[in-house]
Amino acid sequence: MARKTNTPQEPDLFEQDGRLPDFLARFLSYLETERSASPHTIANYELDLRDWFRFLFEKKGGDFQNTDLSDLKLLRRYLATQAKQYEKSTLSRRLSTIKGFLKFLHREGEIEKNAARILRLPRVPKKLPFVLSTEEMLKLLDEAPHTNLRQKRLKAVLELLYSTGVRVSECVGLTYEQIDFPGSTLLIKGKGSKERVVPMGAHCRDALRAYVDSVPRLVKHGQATPLFLNREGQRVSVRTVQRDLQAHAITVLGEKGSEVTPHTFRHSCATHLLTGGAGLREIQELLGHRSLVTTQKYTQVDTERLQRVYEKTHPRDFTD
């Protein structure tokens, strides 16, 4: 996929050093073709690298030609300015991006050394996933209107996100052909182009059928027909889904709804399955996690929930 790396906002930077657009384009292409990175991930990498390039350009007073991209001293100064402006999570992501970029350039023989490899990523405090109660989730689903096409689309998306625990990118990336209505399953294409088959419940299947039946053109396009369409007949964007979902959540849950995102549905699905007796291995397979360690965070969420319920309902009062 061809990608422009120079923008009108940064003409001087790229005019001063012609290496940058070439290096950046090759790195982004590497992420896409060899690492199977998502468009969202690639976009974030590009933004992070442009921010770093701007810093280097400013420090060199416009004389960029002789700048060593692996200058450790300059890199440390850049990270110091970032630490004053952003949280550790952003700092960690940007350093990870730069390390990956320099590792790529070193492997390609474009730089003699990758000094950034000795830098360690800052420790980022792990936050427990935000999860809705079963009652709150069912309220969101049951009170979703489904009169017009846009409402039917949102209803189908909500049911799908909670029933299967898929990522929002996997959801909007679905095609009509990936639905197996008779078998009540979906073929999900996840990170790294890995495929997995996930079951869907009756409510999800019915909501999808109601939506599909309202869009006859879905079954006429043949292969790889996007499932969720916008008003122009193109694949709906992640941003549109996020906006519609949050607006509905605020209507139903009030202020708490402003915290609800598509990932809340994924977290809630996993936590509720665990509470209901599902094993970590099964949840790992359903969510498409590479490592069981990622899935284990839901045990912490469930333990905290159990502790709160215990303190509220146990006949013995253990509080001071």
Side-chain angles (χ1 to χ4, degrees), residues 36 167 169-170 187-196 288:
S36 299
R167 303 174 179 91
S169 58
E170 296 170 341
L187 175 63
I188 302 298
K189 296 181 180 180
K191 290 184 175 181
S193 299
K194 290 187 176 181
E195 295 183 349
R196 66 186 190 279

Side-chain angles (χ1 to χ4, degrees), residues 216-236:
R217 56 187 162 178
L218 277 175
V219 298
K220 296 179 181 178
H221 287 184
Q223 294 298 310
T225 305
L227 175 60
F228 295 115
L229 304 175
N230 59 23
R231 69 180 69 182
E232 286 79 30
Q234 304 299 315
R235 188 185 302 278
V236 72

